[in-house]
Amino acid sequence: MLSAFANALPASPALRLACAAVTAAVIAGCAATPPGTTAAARPAEATKVDTGKPHWQRVHLGAGAGYDFPVYANHRLDGDLSRIREVVFVQHGLQRNGDDYYAAGAALLKASGRNPGEVLLIAPNFPGTPDQGKGFDGMPQWSVQGWMSGENAVDARFPVSSLQLLDDLLALVTDKARLPQVSKVTVAGHSGGAQIVHRYAVLNNVDERIRARGIDLRYVVANPSSYLYFTPVRPAGPDGKSFAPYDKTACPDYDKYRYGMQDIVPYAQGASGLSLYRRYIGRQVTYLAGTEDNDPNHRVLDKACGAEAEGPTRLQRARGYLRYERYLATPGQVSRHQAYEVVGVGHDQARMFGSQCGARAVFGMAESANPDGAACRAPQL
């Protein structure tokens, strides 16, 4: 179904990109998720009727006994990956619908004109405790919210955090014995996926080692509900352009992780807020914020007081965090962060990643080749 749709798109690569981005997620949501198999890095068995849905693969990760984990990918991960030059991760949101995110990413990849034989597209799918019956037996499972912030899996048999899992996935795709030509890895997330990608970009200890090996590692953070603050201040004043400690009588736990540094997850214990900031500012991060993602009552917006301390909407929280990075900056400090507002787009991962700046950040597509993607502008700070 998806390939038939893509073949019917207009001949213009830019128009194909815009159309595919908007439609892929709708197509991807139409059929049931197929069951998996038990072999490492082997695609799940196909159902007898071809629904057009992607089929997840079981990959084996980690040291020692390790653990299995489900991903969607455009190449067999137990096959020949020697031609892969670039890896793109697209991380699902709160609904743990990796199939939808994979389908939208695959449509964007096809429309971009990139050679799919050289690009490995992976959509990790964190199994949640409500996901019984989806074939994820014998794998780590996380609480509905826990995977987004880096908590450990709930099953004591698998003492692995979701952040460690991303370490293990990066180890898999940067293994030069299996992917000798890989030179770029992009980790992109939208909504809940952007929450874990942002926190991973801040907290992981592998970034500099990977880049020292000549692999360009980048992160794309689009429309998260909240951000990780390094100090106890939050946006303050009528315009949110100053910073001060938040009122603890209104929210006693506003500076606890996942919003601040207190009681941080075991994966990052011992880390210092300002030292993390100094390291993070040198990592390659692109922020994307939809100008229409401005509903303070959006159904999946984090409305906990720790999130509300960052602002009432995703757009305002994004602007506040960008101001905060400037607030923390010291003279002469070089930031490798980029930020864009996607004009006219709300909480829509396909249109965010299909925008001019989104397609460039995720798939390296020149804006001139994507004139029909949503326009982008500098953040209105």
Side-chain angles (χ1 to χ4, degrees), residues 20-77:
V22 172
T23 309
V26 177
I27 294 174
C30 297
T33 303
T37 62
T38 57
R42 189 166 62 206
E45 292 180 3
T47 55
K48 292 183 179 179
V49 178
D50 183 4
T51 63
K53 291 284 282 186
H55 303 303
W56 58 268
Q57 303 180 40
R58 182 185 294 258
V59 294
H60 192 74
L61 301 170
Y67 57 94
D68 289 349
F69 184 78
V71 302
Y72 296 87
N74 64 334
H75 293 269
R76 289 180 61 108
L77 298 184

Side-chain angles (χ1 to χ4, degrees), residues 80-158:
D80 180 9
L81 300 175
S82 62
R83 294 177 57 212
I84 299 299
R85 297 179 179 273
E86 182 174 342
V87 180
V88 176
F89 289 96
V90 286
Q91 184 57 60
H92 63 68
L94 180 64
Q95 297 179 31
R96 305 177 308 285
N97 52 335
D99 53 351
D100 291 350
Y101 274 68
Y102 171 79
L108 285 169
L109 174 59
K110 181 173 183 176
S112 73
R114 301 289 303 280
N115 180 355
E118 297 180 350
V119 180
L120 175 59
L121 176 68
I122 299 178
N125 201 117
F126 284 94
T129 49
D131 293 334
Q132 302 296 327
K134 290 188 176 181
F136 300 150
D137 301 334
M139 300 185 190
Q141 292 186 338
W142 282 264
S143 68
V144 171
Q145 296 274 343
W147 66 269
M148 290 189 289
S149 58
E151 292 180 9
N152 284 3
V154 296
D155 190 331
R157 294 177 301 165
F158 306 107

Side-chain angles (χ1 to χ4, degrees), residues 29-349:
C30 297
T33 303
T37 62
T38 57
R42 189 166 62 206
E45 292 180 3
T47 55
K48 292 183 179 179
V49 178
D50 183 4
T51 63
K53 291 284 282 186
H55 303 303
W56 58 268
Q57 303 180 40
R58 182 185 294 258
V59 294
H60 192 74
L61 301 170
Y67 57 94
D68 289 349
F69 184 78
V71 302
Y72 296 87
N74 64 334
H75 293 269
R76 289 180 61 108
L77 298 184
D78 62 349
D80 180 9
L81 300 175
S82 62
R83 294 177 57 212
I84 299 299
R85 297 179 179 273
E86 182 174 342
V87 180
V88 176
F89 289 96
V90 286
Q91 184 57 60
H92 63 68
L94 180 64
Q95 297 179 31
R96 305 177 308 285
N97 52 335
D99 53 351
D100 291 350
Y101 274 68
Y102 171 79
L108 285 169
L109 174 59
K110 181 173 183 176
S112 73
R114 301 289 303 280
N115 180 355
E118 297 180 350
V119 180
L120 175 59
L121 176 68
I122 299 178
N125 201 117
F126 284 94
T129 49
D131 293 334
Q132 302 296 327
K134 290 188 176 181
F136 300 150
D137 301 334
M139 300 185 190
Q141 292 186 338
W142 282 264
S143 68
V144 171
Q145 296 274 343
W147 66 269
M148 290 189 289
S149 58
E151 292 180 9
N152 284 3
V154 296
D155 190 331
R157 294 177 301 165
F158 306 107
V160 59
S161 82
S162 54
L163 298 171
Q164 178 61 51
L165 185 139
L166 294 180
D167 278 351
D168 294 340
L169 282 173
L170 281 181
L172 174 73
V173 301
T174 58
D175 179 2
K176 289 284 191 173
R178 297 208 58 218
L179 291 84
Q181 299 191 68
V182 68
S183 61
K184 182 179 180 182
V185 178
T186 301
V187 185
H190 177 265
S191 191
Q195 292 194 54
I196 188 173
V197 170
H198 165 57
R199 286 157 180 82
Y200 183 69
V202 171
L203 298 175
N204 80 73
N205 292 316
V206 302
D207 180 290
E208 287 74 19
R209 293 202 300 270
I210 290 173
R211 286 192 283 128
R213 294 166 50 208
I215 298 173
D216 187 15
L217 178 58
R218 297 171 179 265
Y219 312 89
V220 181
V221 177
N223 289 343
S225 264
S226 67
Y227 298 83
L228 180 61
Y229 276 70
F230 303 97
T231 63
V233 303
R234 296 295 185 273
D239 57 4
K241 294 184 178 181
S242 58
F243 292 90
Y246 197 66
D247 182 2
K248 279 200 168 187
T249 62
C251 187
D253 297 334
Y254 82 92
D255 202 37
K256 286 189 175 181
Y257 189 84
R258 60 187 154 162
Y259 312 108
M261 291 286 111
Q262 294 181 17
D263 299 336
I264 203 163
V265 287
Y267 174 90
Q269 278 185 351
S272 159
L274 286 177
S275 64
L276 285 174
Y277 163 75
R278 287 189 289 269
R279 185 180 70 174
Y280 177 59
I281 211 70
R283 293 179 171 181
Q284 299 181 103
V285 179
T286 298
Y287 297 109
L288 304 175
T291 62
E292 300 306 304
D293 202 349
N294 56 6
D295 180 1
N297 299 307
H298 191 275
R299 62 184 180 83
V300 293
L301 176 69
D302 187 348
K303 301 179 184 68
C305 65
E308 295 286 348
E310 300 182 11
T313 69
R314 291 188 188 87
L315 178 60
Q316 287 171 282
R317 293 173 191 180
R319 289 172 173 172
Y321 197 74
L322 293 172
R323 295 185 190 110
Y324 175 66
E325 287 195 353
R326 292 184 178 182
Y327 167 81
L328 291 181
T330 57
Q333 188 173 57
V334 177
S335 172
R336 303 186 74 185
H337 294 184
Q338 301 180 60
Y340 304 93
E341 292 182 357
V342 182
V343 180
V345 176
H347 203 65
D348 184 326
Q349 61 99 357

